[in-house]
Amino acid sequence: SQQGEEDPQALSIQEGENATMNCSYKTSINNLQWYRQNSGRGLVHLILIRSNEREKHSGRLRVTLDTSKKSSSLLITASRAADTASYFCATEPDTGGFKTIFGAGTRLFVKA
Amino acid sequence: SQTIHQWPATLVQPVGSPLSLECTVEGTSNPNLYWYRQAAGRGLQLLFYSVGIGQISSEVPQNLSASRPQDRQFILSSKKLLLSDSGFYLCAWSWGSNEQFFGPGTRLTVL
């Protein structure tokens, strides 16, 4: 099965609200990454957080990592209709080799 | 700056026909290269990754193969396509243990 699992699978909110997406994984990791995908397009990298970090910010994005619980969360504050997309977490296991395992994603819909 | 190209953008192939998808990266050297497949509405499945010329790691045993004939070229192939090979194929590159940069993808439909 996939290393990362996002929760919820789908999320619908009003513009201006905050959106929180969670990711759980199974094995020890080197880093965890969040990506965004607009329908039918390639993925765009949002944030990378390393295993020795607990929180990172980038603009309206805030990512937390709890390695003891093997979980991460992505918070998008003051959401906009343009944030509508699928969001994926991806983990790089610490077994070496640079491979990255993606979860099934959260589909976010922001209503204007 | 670095750019990644994939072609073709869309492809419709009959069952049993061969496949060749190409991915090239510009503006960098010795990148890690990846092939993923994405089923409709699903996450990405890692198919192959490569840390150097001729070095291919296969994650999922199936009807596909990959080759890296040049440093910045990654090719996904099949001798005989199956219906289950339909999907959205994405190529990506990275520098070591860092974020990946994705190409625009190829949508493959096998009929």
Side-chain angles (χ1 to χ4, degrees), chain B residues 37-109:
Chain B
R37 179 169 62 200
Q38 185 178 31
R42 304 293 296 277
L44 275 68
Q45 179 186 35
L46 179 63
L47 301 176
F48 303 94
Y49 69 98
S50 171
V51 298
I53 295 175
Q55 300 179 58
I56 309 294
S57 296
S58 174
E59 290 300 303
V60 184
Q62 54 192 339
N63 187 40
L64 301 170
S65 62
S67 62
R68 185 170 178 174
Q70 300 180 44
D71 181 45
R72 290 169 288 178
Q73 184 185 31
F74 206 22
I75 298 172
L76 183 70
S77 304
S78 173
K79 292 182 179 178
K80 288 186 177 182
L81 284 169
L82 307 172
L83 287 173
S84 58
D85 291 324
S86 292
F88 191 46
Y89 289 82
L90 288 157
C91 180
W93 74 272
S94 73
W95 280 317
S97 183
N98 290 298
E99 65 265 33
Q100 294 183 23
F101 299 91
F102 283 80
T106 294
R107 188 161 304 281
L108 172 66
T109 303

Side-chain angles (χ1 to χ4, degrees), chain A residues 32-81:
Chain A
L32 184 145
Q33 303 169 41
W34 284 92
Y35 290 83
R36 166 196 167 122
Q37 183 182 35
N38 288 83
S39 180
R41 308 291 294 275
L43 277 71
V44 175
H45 178 262
L46 297 175
I47 289 184
L48 180 151
I49 185 166
R50 301 199 184 277
S51 59
N52 62 350
E53 298 175 307
R54 292 297 168 258
E55 186 171 315
K56 273 188 111 168
H57 298 256
S58 177
R60 294 185 294 114
L61 306 180
R62 172 178 170 255
V63 168
T64 61
L65 178 64
D66 187 335
T67 53
S68 66
K69 295 181 180 179
K70 292 185 170 59
S71 67
S72 173
S73 67
L74 170 66
L75 169 68
I76 303 175
T77 59
S79 63
R80 305 166 182 168

Side-chain angles (χ1 to χ4, degrees), chain A:
Chain A
S1 62
Q2 291 286 345
Q3 164 82 317
E5 295 183 3
E6 286 89 342
D7 168 54
Q9 291 185 345
L11 181 61
S12 181
I13 59 174
Q14 290 291 139
E15 208 168 27
E17 295 180 340
N18 295 342
T20 300
M21 289 160 269
N22 303 296
C23 170
S24 60
Y25 57 93
K26 295 182 174 65
T27 64
S28 297
I29 61 173
N30 288 328
N31 64 63
L32 184 145
Q33 303 169 41
W34 284 92
Y35 290 83
R36 166 196 167 122
Q37 183 182 35
N38 288 83
S39 180
R41 308 291 294 275
L43 277 71
V44 175
H45 178 262
L46 297 175
I47 289 184
L48 180 151
I49 185 166
R50 301 199 184 277
S51 59
N52 62 350
E53 298 175 307
R54 292 297 168 258
E55 186 171 315
K56 273 188 111 168
H57 298 256
S58 177
R60 294 185 294 114
L61 306 180
R62 172 178 170 255
V63 168
T64 61
L65 178 64
D66 187 335
T67 53
S68 66
K69 295 181 180 179
K70 292 185 170 59
S71 67
S72 173
S73 67
L74 170 66
L75 169 68
I76 303 175
T77 59
S79 63
R80 305 166 182 168
D83 294 329
T84 294
S86 292
Y87 292 83
F88 297 90
C89 72
T91 52
E92 181 184 296
D94 66 357
T95 51
F98 303 117
K99 72 178 186 180
T100 305
I101 309 298
F102 282 78
T106 293
R107 302 183 76 172
L108 173 66
F109 181 65
V110 181
K111 293 176 281 188

